[in-house]
């Protein structure tokens, strides 16, 4: 008799510090690898393959990564949640498990994503934040950043903000919202980017450019110029992975 | 001509996660070792030995560790601060450097110390807090802990709360203040202990016992009973190093 196959949607949080990114790679500790091994063990050895909403790089964190998969059997979502969490290392937390329609796909069904970037200000890097923030030691005018981020909203060609080496031809993406707030208690800038999709390293390049605008090294509306020139060399900087969080995936 | 020798007092913060504790040990990365190597390099190879206010174990953090040392030369404190920070790894931050009287000794001159312990509540360990908190998954009554901590204040024999293996004979210490507050925003308990000195693992054993009192597994005034029995076996638990911070040293 054939086993039932049940489709699931799972939301997880992870500290990316000790992972070689989300996606499986030979000989490397990855989020996908750890989760697939646990599910395969739960399925008594039947291999389970998961599809993530997208990759995150080494050191990049997630507060709401979403994955989908077929499981060879039917385990109530709450039981799967508890079972998986008991098998997870301390740097991964399964936050939610739900039954999903068979055609739900964490990546292809996604309508949008929200990323957050934390920038610690001040002269020195705080030892307790070094793994969880980027750091900017120079003066920044938050209002200048807020004004600049408005230029991102809408549909633009992000060629200037895509890391070279990407294979995706179409560099046009739509940003629905881009904000910057100052968290006085922690002396941090929190930037958030909500859009229909993001190119490789795009958020980290946008953050580095926004900080230079905030510092006055770039013109207030340099994002508009950079959209036009379509030249990755002109955006230059890439903020470190440690400050980046995949916050939410929208379906 | 003889070099000047100048005595210094230095305050530092560190994330203890990747150190085998404060004190120098062969083949291990320690806070004392990293700092002495930097000072010795600054002194062009003349060995500099530092005295810390006390050891912290592997994984234990410091917000205000204090060290004192003789330096073979006279560098203005502000220059030494900047020079040392440029040589420090990101998990150590030098917060303050001052000239000190020749008889100042970070350990022997200390009049008291304050430790903080962070306990994350909730069912699961938060991936982003695992290195910076202990975790207690059971119910706790904060008021019960607050009442219990009052029993610690004063001068007591802490034999029941000293890790076996310690070589110190006199287990009598004075606690000036012991508090517990609930941080609702982070769902954490913050306990603080201010006293004239602490035995090996004493704070971590006090925290583990306080949590069991808060949970109701121990009587409200079990600390008083434990002082009387002078038996380490009866306190049992030791809260993990990750939640412990040397917050301040008083002179």
């Amino acid at each position: 008799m054939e086993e039932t196959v049940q489709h699931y949607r799972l939301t997880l949080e992870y500290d990316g510090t000790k992972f070689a990114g989300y996606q499986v790679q030979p000989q490397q500790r990855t989020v996908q690898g750890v989760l697939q091994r646990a599910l395969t063990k739960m399925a008594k050895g039947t291999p389970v393959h998961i599809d993530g909403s997208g990759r995150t790089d080494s050191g990049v964190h997630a507060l709401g990564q979403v994955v989908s998969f077929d499981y060879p059997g039917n385990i109530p979502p709450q039981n799967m949640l508890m079972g998986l969490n008991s098998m997870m290392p301390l740097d991964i937390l399964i936050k939610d498990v739900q039954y999903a329609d068979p055609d739900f796909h964490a990546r292809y069904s996604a309508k949008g994503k929200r990323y957050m970037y934390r920038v610690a200000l001040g002269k020195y890097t705080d030892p307790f934040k070094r793994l969880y923030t980027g750091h900017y030691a120079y003066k920044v005018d938050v209002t200048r950043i807020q004004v600049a981020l408005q230029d991102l909203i809408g549909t633009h060609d992000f060629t200037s903000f895509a890391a070279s080496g990407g294979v995706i031809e179409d560099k046009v993406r739509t940003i629905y919202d881009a904000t910057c707030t100052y968290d006085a208690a922690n002396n941090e800038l929190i930037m958030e980017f909500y859009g229909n999709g993001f190119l490789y390293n795009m958020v980290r390049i946008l953050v580095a450019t926004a900080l230079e605008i905030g510092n006055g090294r770039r013109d207030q509306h340099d994002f508009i110029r950079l959209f036009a020139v379509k030249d990755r060399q002109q955006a230059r900087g890439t903020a470190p992975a440690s400050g980046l969080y995949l916050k939410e995936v929208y379906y």
Side-chain angles (χ1 to χ4, degrees), chain A residues 158-162 164 205-206 208-210 212-213 217-219 221-238:
Chain A
F158 283 91
T159 299
S160 291
F161 304 99
S164 51
I205 300 168
L206 291 174
T209 306
E212 292 183 350
I213 293 173
R217 294 182 205 193
R218 288 180 184 268
D219 288 345
H221 293 288
D222 207 41
F223 278 129
I224 292 175
R225 185 185 68 80
L226 288 162
F227 284 140
V229 296
K230 298 185 175 62
D231 176 5
R232 168 69 184 103
Q233 298 312 310
Q234 297 206 24
R236 291 193 302 271
T238 305

Side-chain angles (χ1 to χ4, degrees), chain A residues 110-113 154-155 158 172-176 194-198:
Chain A
K111 292 202 164 56
K113 282 185 186 169
T155 301
F158 283 91
V172 174
R173 294 292 180 278
T174 299
I175 300 291
Y176 306 122
Y194 167 38
N196 69 349
F198 294 87

Side-chain angles (χ1 to χ4, degrees), chain A residues 84-110:
Chain A
L84 283 177
N85 270 327
S86 74
M87 297 161 84
M88 285 299 109
L90 290 178
D91 44 2
I92 297 182
L93 179 67
I94 312 296
K95 296 174 81 174
D96 185 56
V97 178
Q98 290 184 27
Y99 287 138
D101 287 339
D103 62 349
F104 176 79
H105 187 288
R107 183 166 167 208
Y108 301 126
S109 306

Side-chain angles (χ1 to χ4, degrees), chain A residues 118-137 185-188 242:
Chain A
R118 289 174 58 188
V119 182
L121 302 177
K123 188 163 181 185
Y124 297 112
T125 299
D126 178 334
F128 297 98
K129 288 185 181 181
R130 73 193 192 287
L131 307 173
Y132 306 107
T133 57
H135 177 239
Y136 197 67
N186 294 304
N187 195 28
E188 285 180 20
S242 52

